[in-house]
Amino acid sequence: MGIDFRVVKAIFVRDMGQYLANPAGYVFLTLFIGLTGAAAFLQEGFFARNLADLANLNAAMPAILMLFVPALTMGSWAEERRAGTDELLVSLPVRDAEVVLGKYLGALGVYVVALLLSTSHVAVLAVLGDPDLGLLAATYLGYFCMGAAFVAVGLLASILSSNLTMAFVLGVLGCSALVLVGSAPWAGGVYGAAMLAGLAALLGWAIRGRAGGWPLFAAGGLALGIALWFSSLGEGFG
């Protein structure tokens, strides 16, 4: 049998609803819009260049996302483990891949909402000048790819620890590694080897029958695949 997307949809709706029903979710959205706006426009170089684009934000976006995405994802699995509901999830007649994919799409959905709200920056550019809409569309596609990779890494960090602070720190470290891979060619091989070694360790954990082993392995595989794919896609945009 394949993946039951009704289960995936149910988990996706549940996670998005829980996040958007929490005041912290709106704090995240507000801070994201404010910080990206400041990075885009509140720099002297923006007016000195006299171009209606998001070049300043492009330079700052990796640093912004490597902090904000782990903050978004740190409670996704960690809170489930603290509350004991992760054992309920894996004991239900659903596939581990469905649970992992549903939670991934839930976190990604919140990020997409934040990204859509930040398109208000395009309206500002339209007021100030004559922006190239094709370039801006490619830029936002790059932001989506980058965020999608970071969400996968952040969720893997969340499943590794029930402590929110530790999940956040691990997420930041993982996302920082992706940023380093994009800026230092030698780091790609090191990061790839580390991810494969980590995935092998998760596989061993799952085979030994440790609690939550297979969901952990599924999350690790999803993180590796999505991070590498979206990272390679994101290099062509922005």
Side-chain angles (χ1 to χ4, degrees):
M1 293 179 62
I3 291 178
D4 186 347
F5 285 96
R6 292 175 300 177
V7 175
V8 174
K9 179 182 176 182
I11 296 174
F12 161 73
V13 171
R14 167 183 172 268
D15 277 28
M16 274 206 71
Q18 284 181 343
Y19 196 88
L20 295 178
N22 190 329
Y26 294 96
V27 172
F28 169 83
L29 295 175
T30 302
L31 287 176
F32 181 80
I33 296 168
L35 193 56
T36 53
F41 306 119
L42 298 184
Q43 297 188 54
E44 184 178 352
F46 173 74
F47 295 99
R49 294 175 64 250
N50 198 31
L51 292 173
D53 60 18
L54 294 174
N56 290 333
L57 180 56
N58 292 347
M61 198 62 158
I64 293 174
L65 291 185
M66 62 185 272
L67 293 175
F68 274 82
V69 171
L72 167 66
T73 60
M74 65 182 181
S76 185
W77 280 104
E79 285 291 348
E80 299 274 11
R81 296 181 67 184
R82 289 178 61 187
T85 52
D86 62 327
E87 296 181 1
L88 176 62
L89 276 176
V90 299
S91 65
L92 292 173
V94 296
R95 295 173 179 267
D96 294 336
E98 293 166 353
V99 176
V100 172
L101 183 58
K103 294 190 76 64
Y104 171 76
L105 292 177
L108 183 61
V110 177
Y111 172 69
V112 169
V113 170
L115 205 57
L116 289 175
L117 291 175
S118 73
T119 56
S120 56
H121 305 332
V122 177
V124 174
L125 291 176
V127 171
L128 296 176
D130 184 20
D132 184 337
L133 296 182
L135 174 62
L136 292 177
T139 297
Y140 268 87
L141 180 57
Y143 294 162
F144 170 77
C145 293
M146 190 189 310
F150 285 6
V151 167
V153 174
L155 286 178
L156 177 59
S158 180
I159 202 174
L160 290 173
S161 175
S162 59
N163 183 284
L164 293 179
T165 302
M166 183 59 66
F168 174 74
V169 171
L170 290 175
V172 171
L173 290 175
C175 294
S176 301
L178 282 180
V179 174
L180 180 62
V181 167
S183 59
W186 60 266
V190 175
Y191 183 77
M195 288 291 286
L196 288 173
L199 190 58
L202 293 178
L203 179 58
W205 180 288
I207 291 174
R208 288 197 300 269
R210 300 292 293 272
W214 285 110
L216 187 60
F217 173 67
L222 182 72
L224 176 62
I226 291 176
L228 294 180
W229 186 50
F230 276 114
S231 293
S232 63
L233 278 179
E235 291 176 0
F237 300 100

